Amino acid sequence: MPVTDVIDSDEAEAPPEILVLPLDAWHRERGARMVEFAGYWMPVQYEGIIAEHLWTRENAGLFDVSHMGQLGVAGDGAAAALEALLPGDISALKPGRMRYSLLMAEDGGILDDLMVLNTGKDFSVVVNGATKWDDIGHLREHLPDEIVLTYFDEQALLALQGPKAADALARLGISPLHEGGTPLAELKFMQADIYDWQGKRLGISRSGYTGEDGFEISVSATDVVELANALAAQPEVKPIGLGARDSLRLEAGLPLYGHDLNEQTDPISADLSFAISKRRRADGGFLGADRVLALLADGSSAKRVGLALEGRQAAREGAPVMQGDRQVGQVTSGGFSPSLQRPIAMAYVDAALAAPGTRLELDVRGKCLAATVVSMPFVPHRYHR
Protein backbone atom coordinates (compact mmCIF):
# COMPACT_ATOMS: atom_id res chain seq x y z
CA MET A 1 0.00 0.00 0.00
CA PRO A 2 1.33 3.48 -0.75
CA VAL A 3 2.40 5.51 2.23
CA THR A 4 0.45 8.72 1.91
CA ASP A 5 0.58 10.39 5.26
CA VAL A 6 2.83 9.84 8.23
CA ILE A 7 1.10 10.96 11.41
CA ASP A 8 2.75 13.43 13.73
CA SER A 9 1.36 14.08 17.20
CA ASP A 10 -0.03 17.51 16.27
CA GLU A 11 -1.84 16.30 13.12
CA ALA A 12 -4.60 14.25 14.77
CA GLU A 13 -7.39 16.83 14.43
CA ALA A 14 -10.98 16.11 13.35
CA PRO A 15 -11.96 17.30 9.86
CA PRO A 16 -14.20 20.39 10.04
CA GLU A 17 -16.83 19.52 7.41
CA ILE A 18 -18.75 16.66 5.84
CA LEU A 19 -16.33 14.87 3.55
CA VAL A 20 -16.91 13.19 0.21
CA LEU A 21 -15.68 9.65 -0.45
CA PRO A 22 -14.21 8.55 -3.80
CA LEU A 23 -17.42 6.68 -4.73
CA ASP A 24 -19.80 9.54 -3.85
CA ALA A 25 -20.86 10.23 -7.46
CA TRP A 26 -21.01 6.45 -8.14
CA HIS A 27 -23.56 6.03 -5.33
CA ARG A 28 -25.65 9.00 -6.44
CA GLU A 29 -25.72 7.80 -10.08
CA ARG A 30 -27.28 4.54 -8.82
CA GLY A 31 -30.01 6.32 -6.89
CA ALA A 32 -28.61 5.97 -3.41
CA ARG A 33 -30.14 8.08 -0.65
CA MET A 34 -27.13 9.80 0.91
CA VAL A 35 -26.86 10.72 4.60
CA GLU A 36 -24.12 12.13 6.81
CA PHE A 37 -22.39 9.39 8.80
CA ALA A 38 -19.08 9.56 10.65
CA GLY A 39 -18.28 12.87 8.98
CA TYR A 40 -18.90 11.61 5.41
CA TRP A 41 -21.75 11.50 2.91
CA MET A 42 -22.66 7.82 2.81
CA PRO A 43 -25.35 5.75 1.02
CA VAL A 44 -28.01 4.60 3.48
CA GLN A 45 -30.07 2.62 0.94
CA TYR A 46 -30.75 2.07 -2.77
CA GLU A 47 -33.89 -0.01 -3.38
CA GLY A 48 -34.78 -0.55 0.28
CA ILE A 49 -33.18 -1.95 3.42
CA ILE A 50 -35.11 -5.25 3.55
CA ALA A 51 -34.51 -6.04 -0.13
CA GLU A 52 -30.80 -5.19 0.17
CA HIS A 53 -30.49 -7.20 3.38
CA LEU A 54 -32.06 -10.34 1.89
CA TRP A 55 -30.05 -9.98 -1.34
CA THR A 56 -26.82 -10.02 0.70
CA ARG A 57 -27.90 -13.11 2.68
CA GLU A 58 -28.66 -14.96 -0.58
CA ASN A 59 -26.21 -13.46 -3.10
CA ALA A 60 -23.48 -10.81 -2.63
CA GLY A 61 -23.71 -7.22 -1.41
CA LEU A 62 -21.15 -4.54 -2.25
CA PHE A 63 -20.56 -2.06 0.58
CA ASP A 64 -18.49 1.13 0.48
CA VAL A 65 -16.69 1.33 3.84
CA SER A 66 -14.04 3.81 2.73
CA HIS A 67 -14.84 6.03 5.73
CA MET A 68 -13.05 3.55 7.97
CA GLY A 69 -9.46 4.31 8.95
CA GLN A 70 -6.72 2.22 7.31
CA LEU A 71 -3.55 2.63 9.38
CA GLY A 72 -0.04 1.21 9.26
CA VAL A 73 2.11 0.51 12.32
CA ALA A 74 5.76 -0.14 11.46
CA GLY A 75 9.18 -0.27 13.05
CA ASP A 76 11.23 -2.52 15.33
CA GLY A 77 9.08 -3.59 18.24
CA ALA A 78 5.76 -2.74 16.54
CA ALA A 79 4.07 -5.89 17.86
CA ALA A 80 5.11 -5.18 21.44
CA ALA A 81 4.07 -1.54 21.06
CA LEU A 82 0.59 -2.57 19.91
CA GLU A 83 0.33 -5.08 22.75
CA ALA A 84 0.76 -2.20 25.21
CA LEU A 85 -2.57 -0.84 23.89
CA LEU A 86 -4.49 -3.96 22.77
CA PRO A 87 -5.30 -7.13 24.77
CA GLY A 88 -4.65 -9.48 21.82
CA ASP A 89 -1.62 -11.71 21.26
CA ILE A 90 -0.21 -9.60 18.44
CA SER A 91 3.31 -11.09 18.69
CA ALA A 92 1.90 -14.54 17.83
CA LEU A 93 0.02 -13.29 14.78
CA LYS A 94 1.52 -14.98 11.71
CA PRO A 95 2.09 -13.11 8.44
CA GLY A 96 -1.10 -12.92 6.41
CA ARG A 97 -3.30 -13.47 9.48
CA MET A 98 -5.60 -10.94 11.10
CA ARG A 99 -7.32 -10.65 14.46
CA TYR A 100 -10.21 -8.74 16.03
CA SER A 101 -9.04 -6.62 18.96
CA LEU A 102 -9.88 -3.66 21.16
CA LEU A 103 -8.21 -0.29 21.67
CA MET A 104 -8.18 0.13 25.43
CA ALA A 105 -8.30 3.15 27.74
CA GLU A 106 -6.29 3.32 30.94
CA ASP A 107 -9.44 2.70 33.02
CA GLY A 108 -10.37 -0.47 31.08
CA GLY A 109 -12.98 1.19 28.86
CA ILE A 110 -13.14 0.40 25.14
CA LEU A 111 -12.00 3.26 22.89
CA ASP A 112 -12.68 1.32 19.67
CA ASP A 113 -12.85 -2.17 18.20
CA LEU A 114 -10.58 -2.88 15.27
CA MET A 115 -8.86 -5.43 13.04
CA VAL A 116 -5.09 -6.04 13.13
CA LEU A 117 -3.25 -7.70 10.22
CA ASN A 118 0.35 -8.90 10.14
CA THR A 119 1.40 -7.94 6.59
CA GLY A 120 4.72 -9.77 6.92
CA LYS A 121 6.69 -6.52 7.15
CA ASP A 122 4.60 -4.54 9.62
CA PHE A 123 1.01 -4.29 10.85
CA SER A 124 -2.13 -2.92 9.24
CA VAL A 125 -4.95 -1.72 11.50
CA VAL A 126 -8.52 -0.89 10.39
CA VAL A 127 -10.51 1.28 12.80
CA ASN A 128 -14.05 2.66 12.82
CA GLY A 129 -14.71 5.78 10.76
CA ALA A 130 -16.45 7.68 13.57
CA THR A 131 -13.51 7.20 15.94
CA LYS A 132 -10.49 7.18 13.65
CA TRP A 133 -9.25 10.68 14.45
CA ASP A 134 -9.41 10.01 18.19
CA ASP A 135 -7.81 6.58 17.60
CA ILE A 136 -4.94 8.15 15.68
CA GLY A 137 -4.38 10.66 18.47
CA HIS A 138 -4.45 7.93 21.12
CA LEU A 139 -2.07 5.69 19.15
CA ARG A 140 0.39 8.50 18.46
CA GLU A 141 0.31 9.54 22.11
CA HIS A 142 1.07 6.06 23.42
CA LEU A 143 3.22 4.45 20.71
CA PRO A 144 6.97 4.93 21.12
CA ASP A 145 8.49 7.65 18.94
CA GLU A 146 10.40 5.10 16.87
CA ILE A 147 7.17 3.41 15.77
CA VAL A 148 5.87 4.89 12.51
CA LEU A 149 2.10 5.41 12.36
CA THR A 150 0.70 5.98 8.89
CA TYR A 151 -2.80 6.92 7.79
CA PHE A 152 -3.49 5.59 4.28
CA ASP A 153 -5.93 8.35 3.45
CA GLU A 154 -5.78 7.72 -0.30
CA GLN A 155 -6.99 4.14 0.05
CA ALA A 156 -10.66 3.22 -0.41
CA LEU A 157 -12.20 0.12 1.18
CA LEU A 158 -14.93 -2.09 -0.29
CA ALA A 159 -16.66 -5.03 1.41
CA LEU A 160 -18.15 -7.78 -0.75
CA GLN A 161 -20.35 -9.93 1.49
CA GLY A 162 -22.59 -12.91 0.94
CA PRO A 163 -22.58 -16.61 -0.02
CA LYS A 164 -21.86 -15.82 -3.69
CA ALA A 165 -19.13 -13.24 -3.01
CA ALA A 166 -16.32 -15.70 -3.78
CA ASP A 167 -17.90 -16.66 -7.13
CA ALA A 168 -18.26 -13.02 -8.16
CA LEU A 169 -14.74 -12.03 -7.11
CA ALA A 170 -13.14 -15.07 -8.78
CA ARG A 171 -14.50 -13.97 -12.15
CA LEU A 172 -12.40 -10.77 -12.12
CA GLY A 173 -9.11 -12.58 -12.75
CA ILE A 174 -7.33 -11.48 -9.58
CA SER A 175 -3.96 -13.15 -8.84
CA PRO A 176 -1.38 -12.93 -6.02
CA LEU A 177 0.99 -10.01 -6.56
CA HIS A 178 4.00 -11.90 -5.26
CA GLU A 179 5.34 -15.36 -6.10
CA GLY A 180 4.19 -17.83 -3.47
CA GLY A 181 1.22 -15.68 -2.48
CA THR A 182 -2.07 -17.27 -1.46
CA PRO A 183 -4.44 -17.83 -4.39
CA LEU A 184 -7.68 -15.95 -3.79
CA ALA A 185 -9.75 -19.16 -3.70
CA GLU A 186 -7.56 -20.53 -0.90
CA LEU A 187 -7.97 -17.55 1.44
CA LYS A 188 -9.74 -18.56 4.63
CA PHE A 189 -11.59 -16.44 7.19
CA MET A 190 -9.25 -13.88 8.77
CA GLN A 191 -6.47 -14.36 6.21
CA ALA A 192 -5.19 -11.69 3.80
CA ASP A 193 -2.68 -11.08 1.03
CA ILE A 194 -1.75 -8.59 -1.69
CA TYR A 195 -3.14 -9.16 -5.19
CA ASP A 196 -2.91 -7.83 -8.73
CA TRP A 197 -5.94 -6.90 -10.79
CA GLN A 198 -5.20 -5.50 -14.25
CA GLY A 199 -1.99 -3.93 -12.96
CA LYS A 200 -3.70 -2.50 -9.89
CA ARG A 201 -2.66 -3.42 -6.35
CA LEU A 202 -5.39 -4.76 -4.06
CA GLY A 203 -5.14 -5.70 -0.38
CA ILE A 204 -7.76 -8.42 0.12
CA SER A 205 -8.81 -10.07 3.38
CA ARG A 206 -11.48 -12.74 3.79
CA SER A 207 -13.40 -10.92 6.49
CA GLY A 208 -16.37 -8.65 7.07
CA TYR A 209 -19.02 -7.64 9.57
CA THR A 210 -22.22 -9.23 8.29
CA GLY A 211 -21.73 -12.82 9.48
CA GLU A 212 -21.44 -13.97 5.85
CA ASP A 213 -18.50 -15.26 3.88
CA GLY A 214 -16.93 -12.32 2.12
CA PHE A 215 -13.99 -10.07 1.46
CA GLU A 216 -12.75 -6.61 2.32
CA ILE A 217 -10.74 -5.01 -0.47
CA SER A 218 -8.35 -2.09 0.03
CA VAL A 219 -7.85 -0.28 -3.27
CA SER A 220 -6.41 3.06 -4.30
CA ALA A 221 -8.99 5.86 -4.43
CA THR A 222 -7.99 6.40 -8.06
CA ASP A 223 -8.91 2.80 -8.95
CA VAL A 224 -11.99 2.23 -6.78
CA VAL A 225 -14.59 3.34 -9.35
CA GLU A 226 -13.23 0.89 -11.92
CA LEU A 227 -13.20 -1.92 -9.36
CA ALA A 228 -16.70 -1.09 -8.09
CA ASN A 229 -18.00 -1.11 -11.69
CA ALA A 230 -16.40 -4.49 -12.34
CA LEU A 231 -17.90 -5.98 -9.18
CA ALA A 232 -21.35 -4.46 -9.67
CA ALA A 233 -21.41 -5.88 -13.22
CA GLN A 234 -21.42 -9.41 -11.81
CA PRO A 235 -24.92 -10.95 -11.71
CA GLU A 236 -24.63 -11.87 -8.02
CA VAL A 237 -23.68 -8.35 -6.87
CA LYS A 238 -25.75 -5.30 -5.94
CA PRO A 239 -24.63 -2.16 -4.08
CA ILE A 240 -25.90 -2.12 -0.50
CA GLY A 241 -26.33 0.82 1.89
CA LEU A 242 -25.66 1.50 5.55
CA GLY A 243 -29.18 0.52 6.59
CA ALA A 244 -28.83 -3.11 5.53
CA ARG A 245 -25.26 -3.21 6.80
CA ASP A 246 -26.63 -2.40 10.27
CA SER A 247 -29.43 -4.99 10.18
CA LEU A 248 -27.00 -7.66 8.89
CA ARG A 249 -24.47 -7.07 11.67
CA LEU A 250 -27.29 -7.05 14.26
CA GLU A 251 -28.49 -10.47 13.09
CA ALA A 252 -24.85 -11.62 13.28
CA GLY A 253 -24.72 -10.51 16.94
CA LEU A 254 -21.76 -8.20 16.27
CA PRO A 255 -21.46 -5.06 18.41
CA LEU A 256 -21.35 -1.61 16.82
CA TYR A 257 -19.04 0.95 18.36
CA GLY A 258 -20.86 4.04 19.58
CA HIS A 259 -23.97 1.95 20.30
CA ASP A 260 -23.11 -1.43 21.87
CA LEU A 261 -19.58 -0.36 22.81
CA ASN A 262 -18.19 2.89 24.18
CA GLU A 263 -15.62 4.26 26.62
CA GLN A 264 -17.82 3.24 29.57
CA THR A 265 -18.09 -0.42 28.52
CA ASP A 266 -15.43 -3.03 29.27
CA PRO A 267 -14.61 -6.21 27.31
CA ILE A 268 -16.11 -8.56 29.91
CA SER A 269 -19.50 -6.82 30.13
CA ALA A 270 -19.50 -6.59 26.35
CA ASP A 271 -19.05 -10.38 26.07
CA LEU A 272 -15.79 -9.85 24.18
CA SER A 273 -13.49 -11.75 26.56
CA PHE A 274 -12.44 -13.91 23.57
CA ALA A 275 -10.42 -10.88 22.42
CA ILE A 276 -8.15 -11.25 25.47
CA SER A 277 -5.73 -14.02 24.55
CA LYS A 278 -4.50 -16.65 27.01
CA ARG A 279 -1.02 -15.17 27.29
CA ARG A 280 -2.32 -11.65 27.84
CA ARG A 281 -4.68 -12.91 30.56
CA ALA A 282 -1.65 -14.31 32.37
CA ASP A 283 0.79 -11.50 31.69
CA GLY A 284 -1.45 -8.41 31.45
CA GLY A 285 0.59 -5.44 30.28
CA PHE A 286 -2.08 -3.60 28.24
CA LEU A 287 -3.87 -0.37 29.11
CA GLY A 288 -6.69 -1.07 31.54
CA ALA A 289 -5.39 -4.57 32.34
CA ASP A 290 -5.80 -4.24 36.12
CA ARG A 291 -9.54 -3.59 35.85
CA VAL A 292 -10.19 -5.92 32.93
CA LEU A 293 -8.38 -8.91 34.42
CA ALA A 294 -10.15 -8.36 37.76
CA LEU A 295 -13.51 -8.40 35.94
CA LEU A 296 -12.42 -11.53 34.08
CA ALA A 297 -11.69 -13.25 37.40
CA ASP A 298 -14.63 -11.95 39.42
CA GLY A 299 -17.27 -11.36 36.77
CA SER A 300 -18.96 -8.12 35.70
CA SER A 301 -22.21 -6.69 37.03
CA ALA A 302 -23.75 -6.45 33.56
CA LYS A 303 -23.54 -8.38 30.29
CA ARG A 304 -24.41 -7.79 26.65
CA VAL A 305 -27.13 -10.23 25.57
CA GLY A 306 -29.40 -10.94 22.66
CA LEU A 307 -33.17 -10.51 23.01
CA ALA A 308 -35.94 -12.06 20.90
CA LEU A 309 -39.10 -9.94 21.10
CA GLU A 310 -42.66 -11.16 20.87
CA GLY A 311 -45.00 -9.48 18.40
CA ARG A 312 -43.97 -7.28 15.47
CA GLN A 313 -42.96 -4.02 17.17
CA ALA A 314 -39.22 -3.36 17.39
CA ALA A 315 -37.36 -1.75 20.28
CA ARG A 316 -34.72 0.84 19.47
CA GLU A 317 -31.55 1.96 21.22
CA GLY A 318 -32.19 3.39 24.68
CA ALA A 319 -35.33 1.39 25.52
CA PRO A 320 -35.27 0.33 29.20
CA VAL A 321 -35.15 -3.41 29.94
CA MET A 322 -37.46 -4.24 32.83
CA GLN A 323 -38.20 -7.10 35.20
CA GLY A 324 -41.49 -6.15 36.76
CA ASP A 325 -41.17 -2.57 37.99
CA ARG A 326 -37.36 -2.73 38.18
CA GLN A 327 -35.12 -1.53 35.35
CA VAL A 328 -32.46 -4.19 34.83
CA GLY A 329 -30.84 -2.97 31.64
CA GLN A 330 -31.03 -0.97 28.42
CA VAL A 331 -31.27 -1.75 24.72
CA THR A 332 -28.20 -0.71 22.69
CA SER A 333 -29.27 -1.95 19.22
CA GLY A 334 -32.63 -3.12 17.97
CA GLY A 335 -34.70 -3.58 14.87
CA PHE A 336 -36.80 -5.94 12.77
CA SER A 337 -34.85 -8.94 11.48
CA PRO A 338 -35.59 -9.47 7.76
CA SER A 339 -34.17 -13.00 7.93
CA LEU A 340 -36.11 -14.11 11.02
CA GLN A 341 -39.22 -11.99 10.38
CA ARG A 342 -39.33 -10.83 13.99
CA PRO A 343 -37.86 -8.01 16.09
CA ILE A 344 -34.52 -8.61 17.80
CA ALA A 345 -32.27 -6.51 20.00
CA MET A 346 -29.01 -6.34 21.92
CA ALA A 347 -28.99 -5.00 25.46
CA TYR A 348 -26.90 -4.76 28.58
CA VAL A 349 -28.69 -6.43 31.49
CA ASP A 350 -27.79 -7.41 35.05
CA ALA A 351 -25.39 -10.34 34.79
CA ALA A 352 -27.69 -12.49 36.93
CA LEU A 353 -30.36 -12.18 34.22
CA ALA A 354 -28.12 -12.95 31.23
CA ALA A 355 -28.86 -16.67 30.89
CA PRO A 356 -30.68 -17.72 27.69
CA GLY A 357 -34.36 -18.30 28.38
CA THR A 358 -34.68 -15.48 30.93
CA ARG A 359 -37.97 -13.64 30.47
CA LEU A 360 -37.82 -9.83 30.51
CA GLU A 361 -39.85 -6.87 29.27
CA LEU A 362 -38.94 -3.81 27.21
CA ASP A 363 -40.47 -0.40 27.85
CA VAL A 364 -41.07 1.15 24.42
CA ARG A 365 -42.62 4.59 24.90
CA GLY A 366 -44.76 3.31 27.76
CA LYS A 367 -45.77 0.05 26.03
CA CYS A 368 -44.53 -3.21 27.56
CA LEU A 369 -43.01 -5.70 25.06
CA ALA A 370 -42.22 -9.26 26.16
CA ALA A 371 -38.70 -10.47 25.35
CA THR A 372 -36.54 -13.53 26.02
CA VAL A 373 -32.75 -13.67 26.38
CA VAL A 374 -31.32 -15.77 23.52
CA SER A 375 -27.87 -16.86 22.43
CA MET A 376 -26.14 -14.90 19.68
CA PRO A 377 -25.67 -14.80 16.77
CA PHE A 378 -29.35 -14.56 15.91
CA VAL A 379 -28.51 -15.85 12.40
CA PRO A 380 -25.65 -18.40 12.17
CA HIS A 381 -22.32 -17.15 10.83
CA ARG A 382 -21.24 -18.60 7.49
CA TYR A 383 -17.54 -17.74 7.48
CA HIS A 384 -15.21 -19.68 5.15
CA ARG A 385 -12.91 -21.42 7.62
Side-chain angles (χ1 to χ4, degrees):
M1 296 178 182
V3 174
T4 58
D5 192 10
V6 177
I7 304 299
D8 293 325
S9 59
D10 59 354
E11 291 183 345
E13 296 180 357
E17 57 187 17
I18 301 176
L19 301 177
V20 176
L21 293 171
L23 281 182
D24 187 272
W26 191 90
H27 296 306
R28 296 178 190 273
E29 288 169 2
R30 284 157 180 77
R33 184 160 72 85
M34 305 295 283
V35 299
E36 187 276 332
F37 179 78
Y40 294 89
W41 289 113
M42 300 281 288
V44 66
Q45 66 179 51
Y46 295 84
E47 58 181 303
I49 292 173
I50 291 178
E52 293 169 31
H53 180 115
L54 295 175
W55 180 270
T56 303
R57 285 273 182 252
E58 297 168 2
N59 297 280
L62 179 62
F63 302 81
D64 181 6
V65 288
S66 300
H67 64 300
M68 301 184 77
Q70 301 181 67
L71 312 178
V73 180
D76 292 340
L82 281 171
E83 285 192 352
L85 307 178
L86 314 176
D89 194 351
I90 309 301
S91 298
L93 199 57
K94 296 179 180 178
R97 299 298 183 101
M98 55 196 305
R99 183 163 291 166
Y100 176 85
S101 195
L102 304 166
L103 188 64
M104 301 300 300
E106 294 182 11
D107 65 358
I110 300 172
L111 298 177
D112 199 5
D113 61 341
L114 49 80
M115 302 297 293
V116 184
L117 165 67
N118 182 345
T119 69
K121 297 186 301 181
D122 46 37
F123 292 90
S124 175
V125 179
V126 179
V127 302
N128 279 295
T131 56
K132 68 182 174 186
W133 298 106
D134 288 338
D135 291 352
I136 289 170
H138 182 80
L139 287 164
R140 190 61 280 169
E141 178 184 356
H142 288 88
L143 289 173
D145 291 342
E146 60 271 25
I147 299 298
V148 178
L149 177 65
T150 307
Y151 173 31
F152 298 106
D153 62 346
E154 294 183 357
Q155 287 292 115
L157 189 65
L158 301 179
L160 186 67
Q161 300 282 292
K164 298 181 182 177
D167 294 338
L169 196 58
R171 215 171 289 126
L172 267 59
I174 296 170
S175 58
L177 184 64
H178 302 294
E179 186 177 353
T182 305
L184 194 59
E186 295 180 14
L187 269 188
K188 292 184 172 60
F189 183 57
M190 300 298 269
Q191 292 183 350
D193 210 335
I194 303 298
Y195 294 87
D196 174 81
W197 176 62
Q198 300 182 354
K200 301 172 178 61
R201 180 186 175 100
L202 307 179
I204 301 180
S205 62
R206 200 153 194 168
S207 60
Y209 219 60
T210 62
E212 294 292 336
D213 180 28
F215 304 85
E216 293 191 328
I217 308 168
S218 178
V219 54
S220 166
T222 58
D223 296 330
V224 68
V225 170
E226 189 173 350
L227 179 61
N229 283 336
L231 289 168
Q234 304 306 311
E236 305 93 342
V237 179
K238 285 185 177 181
I240 307 296
L242 287 172
R245 178 175 170 81
D246 191 52
S247 56
L248 288 159
R249 72 91 197 162
L250 175 59
E251 286 185 349
L254 301 172
L256 180 63
Y257 197 86
H259 300 267
D260 312 294
L261 306 175
N262 57 47
E263 293 184 31
Q264 283 71 54
T265 55
D266 63 83
I268 313 307
S269 301
D271 199 25
L272 298 175
S273 55
F274 71 89
I276 309 169
S277 63
K278 182 178 180 180
R279 179 175 66 81
R280 309 306 308 281
R281 295 182 186 207
D283 298 346
F286 56 90
L287 283 183
D290 289 348
R291 179 188 175 208
V292 171
L293 296 183
L295 289 169
L296 193 61
D298 302 332
S300 58
S301 60
K303 187 177 180 183
R304 180 174 63 92
V305 300
L307 295 171
L309 281 65
E310 297 180 8
R312 302 285 290 180
Q313 184 173 352
R316 304 295 180 184
E317 180 179 359
V321 181
M322 311 293 293
Q323 188 179 55
D325 295 333
R326 184 170 69 98
Q327 182 172 349
V328 296
Q330 190 168 41
V331 170
T332 52
S333 289
F336 190 82
S337 164
S339 300
L340 302 175
Q341 288 293 296
R342 66 181 301 172
I344 57 175
M346 290 187 204
Y348 283 85
V349 302
D350 290 353
L353 302 173
T358 303
R359 301 279 295 173
L360 298 168
E361 302 89 38
L362 305 181
D363 183 347
V364 179
R365 297 186 294 277
K367 184 177 180 180
C368 180
L369 305 181
T372 302
V373 176
V374 296
S375 299
M376 292 191 287
F378 297 97
V379 173
H381 295 163
R382 297 196 288 187
Y383 302 135
H384 183 76
R385 298 184 185 278

